[in-house]
Amino acid sequence: MITLYMTPGSCTTGINILLEELELVFQVQVVDLMKGDTRTPEYLAINPKGTIPTLVLDDGTALTDYLTICWWLGKTYPRKQLIPEDLMAQIRVLDALSYSVNTLHGHGYTRIFTPDRYAADTSGQERVKAEGMVLVKKGLHYLNNLLAGSPSAYVTEKFSIADTALFYNEFWAVHQQIDLPEHCQRHFDAMVKRRAVEQVLVEEGYGKYVR
Ligand SMILES: N[C@@H](CCC(=O)N[C@@H](CS)C(=O)NCC(=O)O)C(=O)O
């Protein structure tokens, strides 16, 4: 059976949503980031990058990195059309996906959540967090403009793999009490109305965000 290595409320929430959207049978292995579960020899043997999400397939292949896992899921289960056919729509999906994971999460939120990676002392860490906040607001602004040009509340005409990555970043903003810009708020509202999103948020202990 497919196994998702995940931490509730982390970026893995987006992959959990995708698995539920695809109605796949899978199991989860909870990873305690604070306890350092991603740095154990056992975990590094599965994912040498020491990150979550990791998706281990039936044959034991371990997929690592958000984009890789999304792409595999979208291509392996095409019936839900989570990757659009049209090339320019695919380009929008890749742009939103990559920017959400690598820039907004990777540069912005990482500074807010783990400032100790950038500075050893308390005042340095406060500066890093403030820099992270600026990067997150700038990133949300970029994605808000991208959504403004969309024919739907989603990144493209229909829900796609990109929407899950944008969603977990919006979810973190709401959780951090950072105001979402207009189109991101509309996207977030559309996402929490989806059955799979509601189910995952409740399962992961964030039912209060479901309206
Ligand atoms: N590039 C990775 C990054 C994902 C990532 O940063 N995940 C965080 C949790 S939200 C993590 O694994 N942190 C543990 C660590 O980096 O040690 C991906 O796309 O999956």
Side-chain angles (χ1 to χ4, degrees):
M1 196 191 290
I2 290 178
T3 305
L4 172 65
Y5 286 77
M6 56 85 80
T7 301
S10 75
C11 57
T12 59
T13 298
I15 301 296
N16 201 356
I17 289 169
L18 269 184
L19 292 166
E20 290 297 345
E21 289 278 352
L22 289 167
E23 299 172 56
L24 297 181
V25 178
F26 66 101
Q27 60 186 359
V28 297
Q29 186 76 44
V30 175
V31 172
D32 189 336
L33 279 180
M34 302 307 272
K35 249 177 67 192
D37 282 357
T38 50
R39 294 190 292 277
T40 64
E42 292 78 18
Y43 190 78
L44 291 171
I46 300 167
N47 177 354
K49 293 171 186 163
T51 55
I52 50 165
T54 301
L55 193 71
V56 177
L57 310 182
D58 292 341
D59 68 359
T61 305
L63 303 181
T64 61
D65 272 4
Y66 200 97
L67 273 76
T68 312
I69 294 171
C70 279
W71 203 254
W72 184 85
L73 286 170
K75 288 283 182 190
T76 307
Y77 302 101
R79 73 182 189 288
K80 287 254 173 166
Q81 299 174 309
L82 297 184
I83 299 174
E85 288 277 315
D86 175 71
L87 178 60
M88 290 321 287
Q90 278 184 19
I91 295 301
R92 273 178 78 83
V93 163
L94 281 175
D95 186 43
L97 187 54
S98 168
Y99 191 80
S100 297
V101 174
N102 297 322
T103 304
L104 190 46
H105 171 185
H107 290 292
Y109 284 110
T110 302
R111 281 175 169 74
I112 297 174
F113 295 148
T114 52
D116 50 305
R117 291 190 176 178
Y118 299 87
D121 59 294
T122 314
S123 69
Q125 289 175 10
E126 286 309 313
R127 197 194 62 242
V128 167
K129 277 197 217 172
E131 285 166 4
M133 197 62 93
V134 170
L135 292 173
V136 164
K137 287 182 181 164
K138 191 172 153 220
L140 287 171
H141 180 71
Y142 173 77
L143 289 159
N144 190 59
N145 285 343
L146 186 141
L147 287 170
S150 172
S152 74
Y154 300 111
V155 169
T156 57
E157 209 169 323
K158 285 173 60 187
F159 171 80
S160 73
I161 52 176
D163 293 294
T164 64
L166 175 53
F167 175 73
Y168 81 73
N169 281 281
E170 290 166 342
F171 169 69
W172 284 346
V174 172
H175 199 57
Q176 295 282 318
Q177 292 167 345
I178 298 169
D179 287 339
L180 286 177
E182 179 189 355
H183 300 288
C184 290
Q185 184 67 56
R186 186 170 66 121
H187 179 261
F188 180 83
D189 292 343
M191 286 292 289
V192 293
K193 286 193 188 115
R194 298 182 71 85
R195 186 204 55 79
V197 176
E198 179 176 353
Q199 181 185 330
V200 167
L201 288 181
V202 169
E203 276 173 10
E204 293 197 6
Y206 296 95
K208 69 175 180 175
Y209 293 107
V210 178
R211 289 160 199 182

PDB file of all heavy atoms in Angstrom, residues 109-130:
ATOM      1  N   TYR A 109       8.321  31.080   4.607  1.00  0.00           N
ATOM      2  CA  TYR A 109       7.881  30.410   5.846  1.00  0.00           C
ATOM      3  C   TYR A 109       9.022  29.716   6.573  1.00  0.00           C
ATOM      4  O   TYR A 109       9.012  29.622   7.799  1.00  0.00           O
ATOM      5  CB  TYR A 109       6.770  29.406   5.543  1.00  0.00           C
ATOM      6  CG  TYR A 109       5.433  30.066   5.302  1.00  0.00           C
ATOM      7  CD1 TYR A 109       4.866  30.074   4.030  1.00  0.00           C
ATOM      8  CD2 TYR A 109       4.736  30.692   6.334  1.00  0.00           C
ATOM      9  CE1 TYR A 109       3.638  30.676   3.801  1.00  0.00           C
ATOM     10  CE2 TYR A 109       3.518  31.299   6.111  1.00  0.00           C
ATOM     11  CZ  TYR A 109       2.968  31.286   4.846  1.00  0.00           C
ATOM     12  OH  TYR A 109       1.760  31.888   4.627  1.00  0.00           O
ATOM     13  N   THR A 110       9.997  29.210   5.825  1.00  0.00           N
ATOM     14  CA  THR A 110      11.114  28.536   6.495  1.00  0.00           C
ATOM     15  C   THR A 110      11.827  29.514   7.441  1.00  0.00           C
ATOM     16  O   THR A 110      12.264  29.128   8.529  1.00  0.00           O
ATOM     17  CB  THR A 110      12.086  27.954   5.440  1.00  0.00           C
ATOM     18  OG1 THR A 110      11.340  27.061   4.616  1.00  0.00           O
ATOM     19  CG2 THR A 110      13.207  27.173   6.080  1.00  0.00           C
ATOM     20  N   ARG A 111      11.898  30.789   7.047  1.00  0.00           N
ATOM     21  CA  ARG A 111      12.526  31.787   7.931  1.00  0.00           C
ATOM     22  C   ARG A 111      11.666  32.041   9.174  1.00  0.00           C
ATOM     23  O   ARG A 111      12.174  32.301  10.254  1.00  0.00           O
ATOM     24  CB  ARG A 111      12.761  33.103   7.179  1.00  0.00           C
ATOM     25  CG  ARG A 111      13.988  33.058   6.295  1.00  0.00           C
ATOM     26  CD  ARG A 111      14.156  34.330   5.465  1.00  0.00           C
ATOM     27  NE  ARG A 111      15.462  34.365   4.826  1.00  0.00           N
ATOM     28  CZ  ARG A 111      15.811  33.623   3.767  1.00  0.00           C
ATOM     29  NH1 ARG A 111      14.946  32.776   3.251  1.00  0.00           N
ATOM     30  NH2 ARG A 111      17.021  33.722   3.258  1.00  0.00           N
ATOM     31  N   ILE A 112      10.349  31.982   8.999  1.00  0.00           N
ATOM     32  CA  ILE A 112       9.457  32.235  10.138  1.00  0.00           C
ATOM     33  C   ILE A 112       9.446  31.038  11.093  1.00  0.00           C
ATOM     34  O   ILE A 112       9.496  31.197  12.314  1.00  0.00           O
ATOM     35  CB  ILE A 112       8.016  32.543   9.636  1.00  0.00           C
ATOM     36  CG1 ILE A 112       8.015  33.831   8.802  1.00  0.00           C
ATOM     37  CG2 ILE A 112       7.036  32.638  10.798  1.00  0.00           C
ATOM     38  CD1 ILE A 112       6.677  34.149   8.138  1.00  0.00           C
ATOM     39  N   PHE A 113       9.405  29.820  10.520  1.00  0.00           N
ATOM     40  CA  PHE A 113       9.283  28.613  11.356  1.00  0.00           C
ATOM     41  C   PHE A 113      10.617  28.145  11.946  1.00  0.00           C
ATOM     42  O   PHE A 113      10.650  27.607  13.046  1.00  0.00           O
ATOM     43  CB  PHE A 113       8.670  27.458  10.549  1.00  0.00           C
ATOM     44  CG  PHE A 113       7.252  27.691  10.103  1.00  0.00           C
ATOM     45  CD1 PHE A 113       6.790  27.159   8.902  1.00  0.00           C
ATOM     46  CD2 PHE A 113       6.359  28.430  10.883  1.00  0.00           C
ATOM     47  CE1 PHE A 113       5.474  27.365   8.486  1.00  0.00           C
ATOM     48  CE2 PHE A 113       5.050  28.648  10.476  1.00  0.00           C
ATOM     49  CZ  PHE A 113       4.600  28.114   9.274  1.00  0.00           C
ATOM     50  N   THR A 114      11.695  28.328  11.186  1.00  0.00           N
ATOM     51  CA  THR A 114      12.996  27.823  11.667  1.00  0.00           C
ATOM     52  C   THR A 114      14.095  28.890  11.535  1.00  0.00           C
ATOM     53  O   THR A 114      15.084  28.702  10.803  1.00  0.00           O
ATOM     54  CB  THR A 114      13.410  26.534  10.902  1.00  0.00           C
ATOM     55  OG1 THR A 114      13.334  26.788   9.484  1.00  0.00           O
ATOM     56  CG2 THR A 114      12.545  25.358  11.262  1.00  0.00           C
ATOM     57  N   PRO A 115      13.922  30.031  12.249  1.00  0.00           N
ATOM     58  CA  PRO A 115      14.924  31.107  12.132  1.00  0.00           C
ATOM     59  C   PRO A 115      16.303  30.679  12.642  1.00  0.00           C
ATOM     60  O   PRO A 115      17.318  31.241  12.226  1.00  0.00           O
ATOM     61  CB  PRO A 115      14.326  32.235  12.990  1.00  0.00           C
ATOM     62  CG  PRO A 115      13.412  31.556  13.945  1.00  0.00           C
ATOM     63  CD  PRO A 115      12.864  30.364  13.212  1.00  0.00           C
ATOM     64  N   ASP A 116      16.336  29.675  13.501  1.00  0.00           N
ATOM     65  CA  ASP A 116      17.614  29.194  14.046  1.00  0.00           C
ATOM     66  C   ASP A 116      18.527  28.617  12.965  1.00  0.00           C
ATOM     67  O   ASP A 116      19.729  28.483  13.176  1.00  0.00           O
ATOM     68  CB  ASP A 116      17.352  28.122  15.125  1.00  0.00           C
ATOM     69  CG  ASP A 116      16.400  27.049  14.636  1.00  0.00           C
ATOM     70  OD1 ASP A 116      15.285  27.400  14.197  1.00  0.00           O
ATOM     71  OD2 ASP A 116      16.780  25.865  14.647  1.00  0.00           O
ATOM     72  N   ARG A 117      17.943  28.308  11.794  1.00  0.00           N
ATOM     73  CA  ARG A 117      18.784  27.816  10.684  1.00  0.00           C
ATOM     74  C   ARG A 117      19.579  28.944  10.047  1.00  0.00           C
ATOM     75  O   ARG A 117      20.516  28.705   9.302  1.00  0.00           O
ATOM     76  CB  ARG A 117      17.922  27.192   9.590  1.00  0.00           C
ATOM     77  CG  ARG A 117      17.294  25.921  10.028  1.00  0.00           C
ATOM     78  CD  ARG A 117      16.678  25.238   8.852  1.00  0.00           C
ATOM     79  NE  ARG A 117      16.154  23.958   9.270  1.00  0.00           N
ATOM     80  CZ  ARG A 117      15.520  23.122   8.488  1.00  0.00           C
ATOM     81  NH1 ARG A 117      15.344  23.421   7.221  1.00  0.00           N
ATOM     82  NH2 ARG A 117      15.086  21.993   8.947  1.00  0.00           N
ATOM     83  N   TYR A 118      19.142  30.184  10.301  1.00  0.00           N
ATOM     84  CA  TYR A 118      19.765  31.331   9.635  1.00  0.00           C
ATOM     85  C   TYR A 118      20.591  32.193  10.589  1.00  0.00           C
ATOM     86  O   TYR A 118      21.441  32.939  10.151  1.00  0.00           O
ATOM     87  CB  TYR A 118      18.691  32.212   8.980  1.00  0.00           C
ATOM     88  CG  TYR A 118      17.881  31.491   7.931  1.00  0.00           C
ATOM     89  CD1 TYR A 118      16.750  30.753   8.275  1.00  0.00           C
ATOM     90  CD2 TYR A 118      18.261  31.528   6.590  1.00  0.00           C
ATOM     91  CE1 TYR A 118      16.011  30.082   7.310  1.00  0.00           C
ATOM     92  CE2 TYR A 118      17.522  30.864   5.624  1.00  0.00           C
ATOM     93  CZ  TYR A 118      16.395  30.138   5.985  1.00  0.00           C
ATOM     94  OH  TYR A 118      15.666  29.471   5.034  1.00  0.00           O
ATOM     95  N   ALA A 119      20.264  32.128  11.893  1.00  0.00           N
ATOM     96  CA  ALA A 119      20.980  32.962  12.862  1.00  0.00           C
ATOM     97  C   ALA A 119      21.023  32.241  14.206  1.00  0.00           C
ATOM     98  O   ALA A 119      20.048  31.591  14.600  1.00  0.00           O
ATOM     99  CB  ALA A 119      20.282  34.313  13.022  1.00  0.00           C
ATOM    100  N   ALA A 120      22.152  32.377  14.902  1.00  0.00           N
ATOM    101  CA  ALA A 120      22.321  31.651  16.163  1.00  0.00           C
ATOM    102  C   ALA A 120      21.705  32.409  17.342  1.00  0.00           C
ATOM    103  O   ALA A 120      21.166  31.801  18.268  1.00  0.00           O
ATOM    104  CB  ALA A 120      23.802  31.401  16.406  1.00  0.00           C
ATOM    105  N   ASP A 121      21.770  33.740  17.307  1.00  0.00           N
ATOM    106  CA  ASP A 121      21.336  34.510  18.485  1.00  0.00           C
ATOM    107  C   ASP A 121      19.892  35.006  18.343  1.00  0.00           C
ATOM    108  O   ASP A 121      19.359  35.097  17.231  1.00  0.00           O
ATOM    109  CB  ASP A 121      22.269  35.709  18.700  1.00  0.00           C
ATOM    110  CG  ASP A 121      22.269  36.614  17.484  1.00  0.00           C
ATOM    111  OD1 ASP A 121      22.750  36.167  16.402  1.00  0.00           O
ATOM    112  OD2 ASP A 121      21.767  37.741  17.567  1.00  0.00           O
ATOM    113  N   THR A 122      19.292  35.348  19.475  1.00  0.00           N
ATOM    114  CA  THR A 122      17.873  35.713  19.507  1.00  0.00           C
ATOM    115  C   THR A 122      17.570  36.924  18.629  1.00  0.00           C
ATOM    116  O   THR A 122      16.576  36.923  17.893  1.00  0.00           O
ATOM    117  CB  THR A 122      17.446  36.022  20.961  1.00  0.00           C
ATOM    118  OG1 THR A 122      17.975  34.987  21.777  1.00  0.00           O
ATOM    119  CG2 THR A 122      15.945  36.073  21.117  1.00  0.00           C
ATOM    120  N   SER A 123      18.425  37.962  18.699  1.00  0.00           N
ATOM    121  CA  SER A 123      18.096  39.162  17.916  1.00  0.00           C
ATOM    122  C   SER A 123      18.220  38.866  16.416  1.00  0.00           C
ATOM    123  O   SER A 123      17.423  39.335  15.596  1.00  0.00           O
ATOM    124  CB  SER A 123      18.960  40.353  18.325  1.00  0.00           C
ATOM    125  OG  SER A 123      20.290  40.126  17.934  1.00  0.00           O
ATOM    126  N   GLY A 124      19.217  38.041  16.070  1.00  0.00           N
ATOM    127  CA  GLY A 124      19.363  37.646  14.666  1.00  0.00           C
ATOM    128  C   GLY A 124      18.147  36.864  14.203  1.00  0.00           C
ATOM    129  O   GLY A 124      17.650  37.051  13.086  1.00  0.00           O
ATOM    130  N   GLN A 125      17.626  36.024  15.068  1.00  0.00           N
ATOM    131  CA  GLN A 125      16.459  35.204  14.704  1.00  0.00           C
ATOM    132  C   GLN A 125      15.206  36.069  14.524  1.00  0.00           C
ATOM    133  O   GLN A 125      14.386  35.804  13.653  1.00  0.00           O
ATOM    134  CB  GLN A 125      16.227  34.123  15.755  1.00  0.00           C
ATOM    135  CG  GLN A 125      17.312  33.047  15.690  1.00  0.00           C
ATOM    136  CD  GLN A 125      17.209  32.012  16.786  1.00  0.00           C
ATOM    137  OE1 GLN A 125      16.226  31.949  17.513  1.00  0.00           O
ATOM    138  NE2 GLN A 125      18.241  31.191  16.911  1.00  0.00           N
ATOM    139  N   GLU A 126      15.089  37.100  15.349  1.00  0.00           N
ATOM    140  CA  GLU A 126      13.943  38.017  15.180  1.00  0.00           C
ATOM    141  C   GLU A 126      14.031  38.721  13.831  1.00  0.00           C
ATOM    142  O   GLU A 126      13.033  38.912  13.142  1.00  0.00           O
ATOM    143  CB  GLU A 126      13.897  39.050  16.328  1.00  0.00           C
ATOM    144  CG  GLU A 126      13.425  38.469  17.656  1.00  0.00           C
ATOM    145  CD  GLU A 126      12.109  37.673  17.551  1.00  0.00           C
ATOM    146  OE1 GLU A 126      11.158  38.166  16.922  1.00  0.00           O
ATOM    147  OE2 GLU A 126      12.052  36.543  18.078  1.00  0.00           O
ATOM    148  N   ARG A 127      15.245  39.102  13.448  1.00  0.00           N
ATOM    149  CA  ARG A 127      15.440  39.764  12.149  1.00  0.00           C
ATOM    150  C   ARG A 127      15.076  38.806  11.005  1.00  0.00           C
ATOM    151  O   ARG A 127      14.394  39.186  10.061  1.00  0.00           O
ATOM    152  CB  ARG A 127      16.911  40.209  12.038  1.00  0.00           C
ATOM    153  CG  ARG A 127      17.162  41.239  10.946  1.00  0.00           C
ATOM    154  CD  ARG A 127      18.634  41.415  10.635  1.00  0.00           C
ATOM    155  NE  ARG A 127      19.246  40.184  10.140  1.00  0.00           N
ATOM    156  CZ  ARG A 127      20.227  39.528  10.741  1.00  0.00           C
ATOM    157  NH1 ARG A 127      20.738  39.965  11.868  1.00  0.00           N
ATOM    158  NH2 ARG A 127      20.726  38.406  10.220  1.00  0.00           N
ATOM    159  N   VAL A 128      15.512  37.557  11.154  1.00  0.00           N
ATOM    160  CA  VAL A 128      15.219  36.542  10.119  1.00  0.00           C
ATOM    161  C   VAL A 128      13.705  36.336   9.989  1.00  0.00           C
ATOM    162  O   VAL A 128      13.160  36.248   8.880  1.00  0.00           O
ATOM    163  CB  VAL A 128      15.932  35.207  10.466  1.00  0.00           C
ATOM    164  CG1 VAL A 128      15.399  34.066   9.617  1.00  0.00           C
ATOM    165  CG2 VAL A 128      17.434  35.348  10.284  1.00  0.00           C
ATOM    166  N   LYS A 129      13.005  36.267  11.142  1.00  0.00           N
ATOM    167  CA  LYS A 129      11.543  36.078  11.095  1.00  0.00           C
ATOM    168  C   LYS A 129      10.875  37.248  10.379  1.00  0.00           C
ATOM    169  O   LYS A 129       9.942  37.060   9.596  1.00  0.00           O
ATOM    170  CB  LYS A 129      10.987  35.993  12.526  1.00  0.00           C
ATOM    171  CG  LYS A 129      11.094  34.621  13.140  1.00  0.00           C
ATOM    172  CD  LYS A 129      10.144  34.563  14.331  1.00  0.00           C
ATOM    173  CE  LYS A 129      10.732  33.763  15.450  1.00  0.00           C
ATOM    174  NZ  LYS A 129       9.963  33.810  16.678  1.00  0.00           N
ATOM    175  N   ALA A 130      11.353  38.466  10.678  1.00  0.00           N
ATOM    176  CA  ALA A 130      10.778  39.654  10.027  1.00  0.00           C
ATOM    177  C   ALA A 130      11.029  39.609   8.522  1.00  0.00           C
ATOM    178  O   ALA A 130      10.146  39.942   7.717  1.00  0.00           O
ATOM    179  CB  ALA A 130      11.378  40.926  10.634  1.00  0.00           C
TER     180      ALA A 130
END
